[in-house]
Amino acid sequence: MWLFLFWLSCSRYLQIPAFLTPDETNGLLTRSKQLLEDLNLDEHPLTKFTTGDKNHVGDDYFLGSGDKVRYFLEEDAVDANGNLTREKHKSVNKIGHALHELDPSFRKVTLENDRLQALVRDLKFHQDPVALQSMIITKQTHIGGEVPEHNDSCYTSPPTALGFWIALEKCTPQNGALSFLPGSHKTTPIAKRFVRLPGGGTGFERLISPQDEAKAGESCKGEYIMAECEPGDLVLIHGSVLHKSERNTSPHTRFAYTFHMIESAPYAIYDEKNWLQPTASMPFSRVL
Ligand SMILES: O=C(O)CCC(=O)C(=O)O
């Protein structure tokens, strides 16, 4: 109960130490590394993952990844000639987006986990929650890219996203631990969302004007606090809280597993412009 009150009253992120056992955590880490080894470069379009405003990831490989397990590379991992600049496992930024459905190890932790279901019931954040996308973020040594300041609430009206982020390795200031802007969920409007564009590909659609965004930015200036984590810690991320992570400048990887949970109809409407759309063969996964 005290955890819940803390979550309600403060920053809108909640760190739950040792949510996964060491065996569960090591199991996911080992599986993540196996998946990296499984990457077949002959069948890969060398799609890079970037979080900038440009239409970088609007290709079929990305758009079709909602019901698959696919690999997205670091920006610096491919040279001008289309060759990898390092070993393949060190070139991957993230793997996504249907691990929670398709990979038995990740499915067990996400959809077949009594502890997680009990937490979701206790939080009372959603009435009928579904998991819609999952990722392994690898933050490789020296190359693992920064994730700029953002919030996650772009999927539904009203906004209902809740991020579940699990550290698979120790997260420190040097290897790109997450950090949060306390209280920003109250002051920061959702300014834009990542959508499928009518002409093809993806891009950001503005929900408020740049002027209003700048004004809102003024009112939510503050100091980020860092969530250093031990392997197995769970961090719950309210969909409207601003968060980010820095580039990994250290010799230590920072593997994390994350998935997003939203409310389903009729409690919230899923936007048909969202880049990620459920398919007939893989509707969003019920959590309870
Ligand atoms: O793992 C990271 O560095 C960023 C994760 C994040 O921003 C998210 O899960 O929304």
Side-chain angles (χ1 to χ4, degrees):
M1 174 54 110
W2 65 269
L3 279 178
F4 182 54
L5 290 176
F6 175 78
W7 152 257
L8 263 187
S9 61
C10 309
S11 338
R12 286 286 173 138
Y13 83 91
L14 173 66
Q15 188 168 343
I16 303 179
F19 181 74
L20 294 190
T21 64
D23 277 355
E24 287 169 330
T25 311
N26 285 332
L28 293 189
L29 185 59
T30 303
R31 181 67 191 133
S32 303
K33 290 180 178 173
Q34 277 167 359
L35 285 168
L36 287 179
E37 288 309 318
D38 291 348
L39 165 57
N40 182 350
L41 287 171
D42 294 336
E43 293 172 359
H44 194 278
L46 298 187
T47 300
K48 293 173 259 180
F49 179 74
T50 67
T51 43
D53 253 0
K54 294 192 211 111
N55 186 16
H56 293 299
V57 284
D59 60 18
D60 291 344
Y61 188 78
F62 176 77
L63 284 174
S65 64
D67 57 357
K68 301 192 182 56
V69 174
R70 288 187 167 169
Y71 300 80
F72 301 93
L73 307 182
E74 290 289 351
E75 271 188 89
D76 300 343
V78 186
D79 68 18
N81 301 319
N83 298 315
L84 287 191
T85 55
R86 61 207 69 221
E87 293 159 86
K88 68 174 181 181
H89 70 276
K90 290 193 180 157
S91 304
V92 174
N93 170 291
K94 65 175 191 174
I95 305 173
H97 289 97
L99 294 154
H100 60 292
E101 272 289 346
L102 299 177
D103 188 281
S105 305
F106 289 95
R107 188 182 172 91
K108 193 155 183 266
V109 166
T110 318
L111 300 175
E112 297 163 2
N113 181 347
D114 294 346
R115 230 175 309 137
L116 188 122
Q117 290 183 343
L119 173 65
V120 170
R121 283 200 187 90
D122 282 354
L123 279 173
K124 296 186 173 41
F125 198 79
H126 299 118
Q127 303 200 51
D128 185 7
V130 287
L132 75 165
Q133 61 143 317
S134 49
M135 295 179 279
I136 299 161
I137 301 174
T138 71
K139 280 260 195 217
Q140 293 290 337
T141 58
H142 303 299
I143 187 175
E146 71 159 324
V147 177
E149 174 181 89
H150 69 283
N151 47 31
D152 297 331
S153 264
C154 55
Y155 305 109
T156 60
S157 297
T160 60
L162 180 61
F164 285 68
W165 188 98
I166 301 174
L168 302 183
E169 294 183 296
K170 195 174 173 66
C171 306
T172 67
Q174 292 74 33
N175 73 356
L178 282 178
S179 56
F180 295 87
L181 188 58
S184 53
H185 61 289
K186 292 186 190 145
T187 52
T188 317
I190 310 297
K192 52 195 175 185
R193 65 183 155 183
F194 193 55
V195 296
R196 286 176 188 242
L197 296 172
T202 52
F204 285 90
E205 178 185 73
R206 281 211 155 271
L207 301 176
I208 62 172
S209 69
Q211 293 80 357
D212 285 348
E213 187 182 1
K215 225 184 286 169
E218 286 304 310
S219 70
C220 66
K221 284 217 158 43
E223 272 206 20
Y224 267 81
I225 47 178
M226 187 164 281
E228 292 189 45
C229 289
E230 293 297 322
D233 288 1
L234 166 67
V235 184
L236 293 174
I237 306 174
H238 184 282
S240 299
V241 74
L242 288 171
H243 56 287
K244 62 180 183 176
S245 66
E246 304 302 332
R247 187 180 178 93
N248 182 358
T249 55
S250 82
H252 305 290
T253 51
R254 197 227 64 184
F255 278 61
Y257 170 59
T258 180
F259 61 95
H260 288 169
M261 202 179 278
I262 55 167
E263 186 64 276
S264 52
Y267 308 105
I269 308 300
Y270 192 77
D271 197 300
E272 61 188 20
K273 290 190 208 152
N274 281 325
W275 78 266
L276 178 69
Q277 292 296 328
T279 59
S281 59
M282 197 184 291
F284 293 150
S285 324
R286 288 221 129 66
V287 175
L288 296 180

